[in-house]
Amino acid sequence: MKKTIFSSAEILLPKFCTDPTKMSKWAVIACDQFTSEPEYWDKCRKLISGNMSAYDYIMPEAYLESEIEGSHNVEIENNMREFDPSNMTQVNGLLYIERTLPNGSVRHGIVGKIDLEAYDYSVGSTSPVRATEATVVERIPPRRKIRASAKVELPHILILIDDEIGVISEAKCQASGTAPVYDFDLMLGGGHISAYALTEDSLAAVENKIAEYESDRSGVVYAMGDGNHSLAAAKAHWENVKRETGDMSHPARYALCEITALSDESLVFEPIYRIVKNCDKTDFLMELAKITTKEESEQKITIISGGKREDLFFDSPAHALTVGTLQIFIDEYIASHPDATCDYIHGEDSLFKLSEAEDTVGFLFDGMDKSELFPYVESYGSLPRKTFSMGEAESKRYYIELRQITK
């Protein structure tokens, strides 16, 4: 079998993976969701209520720079130190995933590991595994710190493939008729998820499809969907391990992830909206007025503030995408107004709610079509950071599977 970039892994699951009630408390949503809504994570902690959970191994970004961060980091370190893989169920192969989203659509994917030697998140990268958005390097250290002292990883990484030859459908076919290794409802409106083990003959059939897919591709082979900063942290950690050990077979060389087809009908690219907080709204809007007009043009934004909406259009766009032009303006404004901050919001309801706050301005705009992704990244490189999200916040990947990253 030819060595592939995406391959099977030694996947760990809780011993109680067939118990839906316990698994509903084990699985928690990606750490970079509800960053401005710590009340979501407070509900999560109450639901877990002392049960074994993936929450014990991750740091929600909503808690960064809060009173909770320090104590929870200590808990994470203790849990990692005491982690015993013998208390887990191991699947040597791949997992075929069916995720029923809150809107009822079903996303299909495969969980395995990606070779970090084939990934480069730097600007201008031509690596086979490609970042689709600009990487905010400041967001890497907190995640890398956790990974550096971790025995295991839990992924919320979702990677896209341009799957014309049917890698995912082959996995679905091979999983047909087998019992799921887990099958349960996700907490707090996350929908439902099932997984099926692909091992031995079924694994070989899917591996052959993966090899065929990779050999037929040039340029972008795998494009990041969600979790770019988590993968970037894994890459940064692997580079440190490689320098220190020189061991190219070290498990830290790989990152556990899920791949899914860009063409999957459940995948809807949603814009990730912006809010600017702690700003003098009058001054902020005066600066914005210098580069916008009310006359219709290609790049439109809707300002949301204090319950009011106003449509504006960029005069001379600084980027090919509306979100790029907006982000350039926001970055420049914050650089000269250090008290102001920008946050990235999933979903219109959250945007409207958060934009009601004093000294806060929100921005609504249209997103890009998913069919444009691979051609754009191939031609222009990474998109502006936080350009799109694949669905609403509750549709994001939950932490479920684990993999050892130490020897």
Side-chain angles (χ1 to χ4, degrees):
M1 170 63 66
K2 176 185 174 183
K3 179 177 172 59
T4 55
I5 297 168
F6 180 76
S7 61
S8 62
E10 295 176 342
I11 300 169
L12 300 175
L13 295 168
K15 286 283 190 185
F16 50 77
C17 60
T18 56
D19 185 328
T21 301
K22 290 184 177 179
M23 286 300 288
S24 290
K25 295 182 178 181
W26 165 263
V28 296
I29 206 164
C31 67
D32 59 353
Q33 300 305 302
F34 301 101
T35 55
S36 293
E37 299 171 78
E39 59 269 21
Y40 172 94
W41 290 99
D42 294 341
K43 290 179 184 177
C44 171
R45 291 163 65 198
K46 289 178 181 177
L47 280 172
I48 293 164
S49 62
N51 287 271
M52 186 177 176
S53 176
Y55 175 83
D56 299 330
Y57 301 91
I58 63 104
M59 174 60 72
E61 291 188 4
Y63 290 151
L64 294 178
E65 300 181 0
S66 75
E67 294 179 357
I68 296 175
E69 180 183 5
S71 60
H72 191 51
N73 261 330
V74 172
E75 291 175 6
I76 291 172
E77 291 174 5
N78 290 337
N79 293 330
M80 284 292 183
R81 186 166 49 250
E82 296 171 4
F83 180 82
D84 184 356
S86 67
N87 292 329
M88 308 295 285
T89 294
Q90 183 166 306
V91 176
N92 296 325
L94 299 167
L95 292 179
Y96 167 65
I97 305 294
E98 289 188 348
R99 167 77 182 279
T100 303
L101 303 178
N103 64 8
S105 64
V106 179
R107 186 171 69 218
H108 309 82
I110 306 172
V111 171
K113 68 180 189 296
I114 202 85
D115 188 349
L116 295 170
E117 281 291 294
Y119 167 64
D120 180 3
Y121 59 80
S122 62
V123 176
S125 167
T126 59
S127 59
V129 184
R130 201 80 60 88
T132 54
E133 66 174 15
T135 303
V136 184
V137 294
E138 293 83 5
R139 295 181 63 194
I140 297 175
R143 300 172 187 232
R144 184 177 60 188
K145 179 181 178 182
I146 291 174
R147 196 175 183 90
S149 60
K151 288 183 180 179
V152 292
E153 61 174 349
L154 294 85
H156 76 264
I157 299 162
L158 191 63
I159 297 178
L160 303 172
I161 62 174
D162 196 6
D163 188 21
E164 295 181 359
I165 68 167
V167 173
I168 306 298
S169 59
E170 179 64 33
K172 180 179 181 179
C173 178
Q174 293 298 326
S176 178
T178 63
V181 292
Y182 61 69
D183 184 16
F184 64 97
D185 291 332
L186 295 159
M187 69 164 66
L188 296 174
H192 189 88
I193 192 164
S194 305
Y196 302 82
L198 302 173
T199 59
E200 300 177 347
D201 291 345
S202 64
L203 174 62
V206 177
E207 286 178 329
N208 286 335
K209 274 291 185 181
I210 293 169
E212 181 183 351
Y213 168 75
E214 292 186 8
S215 64
D216 286 348
R217 300 287 302 181
S218 59
V220 182
V221 182
Y222 296 98
M224 290 303 301
D226 278 330
N228 181 62
H229 288 88
S230 290
L231 195 65
K235 173 69 171 181
H237 174 61
W238 160 237
E239 292 299 326
N240 286 342
V241 171
K242 183 167 61 172
R243 278 193 300 270
E244 294 169 1
T245 68
D247 182 1
M248 297 301 291
S249 65
H250 196 283
R253 173 175 171 167
Y254 302 91
L256 202 61
C257 65
E258 180 180 348
I259 62 170
T260 192
L262 182 65
S263 60
D264 194 296
E265 292 182 0
S266 73
L267 286 186
V268 178
F269 277 20
E270 301 281 356
I272 300 179
Y273 304 118
R274 271 68 171 155
I275 57 170
V276 176
K277 299 183 289 187
N278 304 322
C279 67
D280 180 325
K281 286 199 289 189
T282 301
D283 176 71
F284 181 81
L285 295 175
M286 285 178 60
E287 291 298 313
L288 181 62
K290 295 177 182 178
I291 60 170
T292 57
T293 176
K294 292 187 178 181
E295 295 182 10
E296 290 192 18
S297 62
E298 187 174 341
Q299 294 193 358
K300 172 187 173 182
I301 56 173
T302 300
I303 297 172
I304 312 291
S305 184
K308 297 181 180 179
R309 302 170 54 129
E310 182 182 12
D311 293 340
L312 293 174
F313 301 84
F314 286 112
D315 265 334
S316 300
H319 193 278
L321 299 175
T322 304
V323 65
T325 302
L326 175 61
Q327 191 65 55
I328 290 169
F329 167 74
I330 291 174
D331 289 345
E332 290 177 348
Y333 185 85
I334 289 176
S336 59
H337 299 77
D339 289 339
T341 60
C342 177
D343 201 1
Y344 304 91
I345 308 303
H346 299 261
E348 293 188 20
D349 289 345
S350 292
L351 179 73
F352 293 141
K353 176 184 174 183
L354 294 167
S355 297
E356 291 176 357
E358 188 177 356
D359 299 332
T360 300
V361 179
F363 293 93
L364 189 71
F365 45 84
D366 291 334
M368 70 182 297
D369 189 272
K370 66 180 182 179
S371 63
E372 301 174 290
L373 179 64
F374 274 74
Y376 183 97
V377 173
E378 188 65 53
S379 299
Y380 301 106
S382 298
L383 296 156
R385 66 182 180 272
K386 296 291 185 181
T387 294
F388 69 89
S389 171
M390 294 187 296
E392 300 285 342
E394 289 84 358
S395 298
K396 297 303 162 184
R397 203 174 191 286
Y398 278 57
Y399 299 105
I400 300 174
E401 305 86 3
L402 309 91
R403 187 183 71 91
Q404 281 191 264
I405 56 173
T406 57
K407 283 192 167 180

